[in-house]
Each structure stands twice: as C-alpha cells, then as structure tokens.
C-alpha cells in the first residue's frame, strides 16, 4: 500500500498546478473491514472551495482525470487521460441561465462526438429524466431517472440499459448527510428487483465521509477516505 501511495503522490505532482497551494488531498484506501488486505485505490485533489480538480485511479486502467468549474462551482468539463498521461476524452456539461443542468456531450482526442445526454426536468416532481444517445441514432442506449427530495438531495437514481436491465440506487439521509445507499438490480431473469449491496457512511467531526462500509452478502468491504490539508506548505 505504501508503494502505491508514493507512486500516486508522484503522479499528483506531475498533474497539479501549484496554484492549488491550499488544496487538500484525499487518499482512498480499500480494505477488508478488519483492516487487512489494504490497497490505495485512488488519490483526489480538492481546491480551496472543496471542488475536485484532479483524480488518479489505482486500478487496472490507471487513468487520471481533471475537472474544470465555472464561476458558480458547477462542473463544466471532465478530462480523462490514460496511464501514460495522454488525453483520451472529455465530457462537457451545459447549464441554463438559472444554473440548471441541461445537457452533456463527450468528445474523443480528435473532437469527435462520442455520445450526448438529453436532460428533461420536472420541477414539480423533483425528477430529472436523462437520455444517453449516440450520434445519429435516435434511440437512447441508456435511460436514466433521478429523483430528489425537497432539499434537492438525490434520493433515487435508476439507469436502464433495456426494458428489463436496470440498476437503481436508493439514498437515505440524516440531518442532510447521506448515511446509506442500497443498490438494486432488475434483469430478465428476475421478476422483481434484487438487492445487490448496501453501503453505509461514517463521518468525521467536519462532516466529511471518513469510512464507507459495503455489504454485499460476502465479506464486508471498507473504504477509508483520508484528508490532508495544505500538503504543499
């Protein structure tokens, strides 16, 4: 695990602009919940406003991502780089004059459109309906529905890859903090959704998630999120 942390920290120095001198670094470490078999799976860098500005994933892909925000801290661009640091694709997000999210588009290295999202908003029901589409193909390859509570917190998120192939996440809150997510699957082999896994969250004194615990019918898995402030000082 220490070797992975050193490698990812070195990568961070290559990508991060030193203008983020007061940023914080988050190490994401996955373990068995008895704190054995641990490995660093990602490092995230946040700016002074708490916005994620770059991330490095220590999995088989070894990809890194950078994020760009507008003046209202809305994420407007996500750039993905391969394990050699070569740009692969970007996702652009668009907002209306009221700062409502209205569309996404993804482009490859040659600025070719890969896919786009059409977003419809029902403010009365607090629901977003999203169609993921390929260029020149009218039928969406993913349909998505996101529901919010009266505090604009996401409470349900369903993605369907066909009429009977859906994943739904149900979110629970306490005092505006997310405390649990259940992931349900619906497939052609099941008449009703089945619970795949549930994840609960533990917070530190600053209201940030420090541990997530995932139960999936097998051995519990814990994710530890460690923050370090002013790392370049």
């Amino acid at each position: 695990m220490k070797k992975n942390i050193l490698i990812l920290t070195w990568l961070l120095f290559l990508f991060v602009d030193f203008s983020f001198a007061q940023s914080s670094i988050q190490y994401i470490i996955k373990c068995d919940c008895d704190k054995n078999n641990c490995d660093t799976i990602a490092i995230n860098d946040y700016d002074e406003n708490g916005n994620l500005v770059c991330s490095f994933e220590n999995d088989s892909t070894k990809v890194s991502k950078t994020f760009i925000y507008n003046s209202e801290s809305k994420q407007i661009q996500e750039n993905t780089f391969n394990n050699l640091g070569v740009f692969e694709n970007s996702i652009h997000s668009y907002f209306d004059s009221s700062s409502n999210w209205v569309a996404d588009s993804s482009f490859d290295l040659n600025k070719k459109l890969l896919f786009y999202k059409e977003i419809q908003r029902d403010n009365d029901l607090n629901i977003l309906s999203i169609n993921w589409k390929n260029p020149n193909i009218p039928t969406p390859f993913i349909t998505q529905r996101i529901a919010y509570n009266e505090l604009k917190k996401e409470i349900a998120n369903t993605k369907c890859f066909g009429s009977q192939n859906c994943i739904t996440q149900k979110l629970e809150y306490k005092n505006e903090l997310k405390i649990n997510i259940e992931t349900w699957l619906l497939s052609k082999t099941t008449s009703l959704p089945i619970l795949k896994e549930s994840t609960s969250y533990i917070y530190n004194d600053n209201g940030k998630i420090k541990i997530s615990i995932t139960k999936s019918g097998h051995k519990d898995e814990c994710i530890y999120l460690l923050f370090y402030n002013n790392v370049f000082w």
Side-chain angles (χ1 to χ4, degrees), residues 111-151:
K111 298 184 178 180
K112 177 183 176 182
L113 180 63
L114 300 175
F115 68 86
Y116 62 97
K117 299 177 188 177
E118 295 178 338
I119 301 169
Q120 295 181 332
R121 184 181 304 273
D122 188 326
N123 290 324
D124 293 333
L125 298 177
N126 288 331
I127 290 175
L128 288 183
S129 297
I130 305 169
N131 288 326
W132 299 50
K133 291 186 174 181
N134 288 315
N136 304 317
I137 300 177
T139 304
F141 63 93
I142 296 176
T143 57
Q144 185 175 6
R145 180 183 172 96
I146 304 175
Y148 299 87
N149 62 17
E150 64 279 1
L151 299 175

Side-chain angles (χ1 to χ4, degrees), residues 15-228:
F15 278 88
V16 174
D17 187 330
F18 280 90
S19 61
F20 300 121
Q22 296 185 16
S23 66
S24 62
I25 300 296
Q26 178 192 60
Y27 292 92
I28 302 180
I29 300 171
K30 180 173 69 175
C31 302
D32 297 336
C33 288
D34 55 8
K35 294 188 178 180
N36 290 322
N37 302 314
C38 294
D39 197 10
T40 303
I41 59 174
I43 290 182
N44 295 326
D45 177 61
Y46 293 83
D47 65 17
E48 63 275 12
N49 297 316
N51 295 321
L52 176 64
V53 292
C54 64
S55 66
F56 302 94
E57 299 178 14
N58 189 34
D59 56 14
S60 59
T61 64
K62 307 291 184 184
V63 302
S64 58
K65 295 181 180 182
T66 61
F67 304 88
I68 299 174
Y69 299 82
N70 63 17
S71 59
E72 298 179 341
S73 291
K74 299 283 189 180
Q75 183 183 308
I76 58 174
Q77 188 169 335
E78 173 186 314
N79 303 306
T80 299
F81 303 83
N82 65 18
N83 61 326
L84 299 177
V86 177
F87 174 82
E88 287 191 331
N89 59 70
S90 63
I91 298 176
H92 298 255
S93 298
Y94 308 94
F95 300 85
D96 63 18
S97 58
S98 300
S99 296
N100 293 316
W101 180 38
V102 294
D104 273 1
S105 58
S106 178
F107 300 90
D108 67 8
L109 175 64
N110 299 311
K111 298 184 178 180
K112 177 183 176 182
L113 180 63
L114 300 175
F115 68 86
Y116 62 97
K117 299 177 188 177
E118 295 178 338
I119 301 169
Q120 295 181 332
R121 184 181 304 273
D122 188 326
N123 290 324
D124 293 333
L125 298 177
N126 288 331
I127 290 175
L128 288 183
S129 297
I130 305 169
N131 288 326
W132 299 50
K133 291 186 174 181
N134 288 315
N136 304 317
I137 300 177
T139 304
F141 63 93
I142 296 176
T143 57
Q144 185 175 6
R145 180 183 172 96
I146 304 175
Y148 299 87
N149 62 17
E150 64 279 1
L151 299 175
K152 306 300 182 183
K153 298 287 188 179
E154 182 180 320
I155 56 174
N157 190 330
T158 298
K159 285 183 180 179
C160 291
F161 308 88
S163 60
Q164 290 183 300
N165 184 11
C166 298
I167 300 174
T168 297
Q169 289 188 321
K170 297 182 178 181
L171 297 85
E172 181 183 356
Y173 297 86
K174 182 177 181 181
N175 299 326
E176 298 190 29
L177 295 178
K178 178 176 61 180
I179 59 172
N180 190 68
I181 295 180
E182 292 182 343
T183 301
W184 294 79
L185 301 181
L186 175 66
S187 67
K188 293 180 179 179
T189 60
T190 59
S191 58
L192 295 172
I194 60 172
L195 180 62
K196 179 186 177 183
E197 63 183 30
S198 63
T199 301
S200 58
Y201 298 91
I202 299 173
Y203 291 79
N204 62 21
D205 294 337
N206 297 319
K208 292 182 179 180
I209 296 173
K210 66 176 183 179
I211 304 174
S212 68
I213 304 171
T214 298
K215 301 177 181 292
S216 60
H218 305 290
K219 194 170 186 179
D220 294 352
E221 179 181 87
C222 286
I223 302 292
Y224 297 86
L225 297 92
L226 309 178
F227 277 93
Y228 296 90

